[in-house]
Amino acid sequence: MTALTILMFASAYLLGSVSSAILVSRLFGLPDPRTSGSRNPGATNILRIGGKFPASLVLVFDILKGTVPVYASYHLSIEPIYLAFIAVFACLGHMFPLFFNFSGGKAVATAFGAILPLGLDLAALVIITWCGILYLTKYSSLAAILSVSLAPFFTMLFKPEFALPVGILSALIIFRHKDNIVRLIEGQESKVTDKKPPHS
C-alpha cells in the first residue's frame, strides 16, 4: 500500500465527514436534522422537514462524496481493490463525521455514489432495485436495506474483485438501519408518503 493510497483513504473519510444535511439545513433555516423528524441527517429526513429542493441538494452532495474520491483514485492509478475500500472510508465519514461529533447518517446515497465509478451497469442495477422496492412498498428504509443487501451479489456478477469491500460496505449500512429493521418488523416504520413521520 502506497502513501498516496493512505492519503486517499484519509481524504475520502474527511470528505464524507462533511454533512450536507446539516449544512443545507443551516443554509435554509431548517431545524437540525439530528434532532428533528427522524433525527437522521440524510436526504429523506430533509425532504420531510424542508421540502424537495433542499433534499435534492443533500442527495446530490451525498452522492458526490462517494463518487469524487473513488473516481479521483481511479485516475491516480490506485489499485482496483483499494478503490472499493476508499468507498468504504467515504461512507464511514458520512456515518461517523469528524466535523459533527461523529453523529452522521446511514450513507445510502454516498454508497451509491461510490459504486458509480466501479461500473455504470452495477450502479444501474442497484438503483433500479432501490426504485422498484420503494415504488412497491413506499418504505425508503426497506428499499435501502434490500438494495444494499443485494449489492455484493450484483458486484460478483459485474466486478467480482470488488465483492469483498462492497460486502463490508453493505454490512455497515444494514447495521446503521438496525432501528429501522425493528420498526419494520413491528409495523411502525414510516413511509415516504407520510408528511411528518416520527422515524425514517
Side-chain angles (χ1 to χ4, degrees), residues 63 66-67 91 107-117 122-124 126-127 169 173:
I63 290 173
T67 301
C91 291
V108 177
T110 302
F112 173 71
I115 287 174
L116 276 173
L122 171 60
V126 172
I127 195 63
L169 184 56
I173 293 174

Side-chain angles (χ1 to χ4, degrees), residues 30-166:
L30 300 174
D32 190 325
R34 295 171 296 180
T35 56
S36 303
S38 67
R39 299 181 295 279
N40 176 56
T44 300
N45 196 26
I46 296 298
L47 175 65
R48 288 164 174 160
I49 65 177
K52 294 180 180 179
F53 183 63
S56 298
L57 293 178
V58 172
L59 179 63
V60 169
F61 187 76
D62 282 353
I63 290 173
L64 289 175
K65 288 196 301 186
T67 301
V68 169
V70 176
Y71 194 67
S73 299
Y74 172 79
H75 282 284
L76 290 171
S77 300
I78 289 177
E79 293 183 44
I81 187 60
Y82 293 132
L83 294 181
F85 281 104
I86 287 168
V88 171
F89 273 91
C91 291
L92 284 173
H94 182 89
M95 294 174 181
F96 309 104
L98 176 65
F99 309 124
F100 296 95
N101 300 317
F102 302 99
S103 177
K106 295 171 182 173
V108 177
T110 302
F112 173 71
I115 287 174
L116 276 173
L118 302 184
L120 293 179
D121 44 7
L122 171 60
L125 193 52
V126 172
I127 195 63
I128 288 170
T129 302
W130 184 87
C131 289
I133 296 168
L134 182 65
Y135 176 78
L136 291 173
T137 69
K138 302 299 186 295
Y139 288 114
S140 175
S141 58
L142 182 60
I145 292 164
L146 292 180
S147 58
V148 300
S149 296
L150 292 170
F153 300 100
F154 295 157
T155 307
M156 290 181 68
L157 293 175
F158 296 104
K159 303 283 184 177
E161 65 272 26
F162 297 132
L164 175 59
V166 170

Side-chain angles (χ1 to χ4, degrees), residues 8-25:
M8 291 309 300
F9 285 164
S11 299
Y13 171 76
L14 292 174
L15 181 59
S17 290
V18 179
S19 177
S20 58
I22 296 173
L23 296 178
V24 167
S25 294

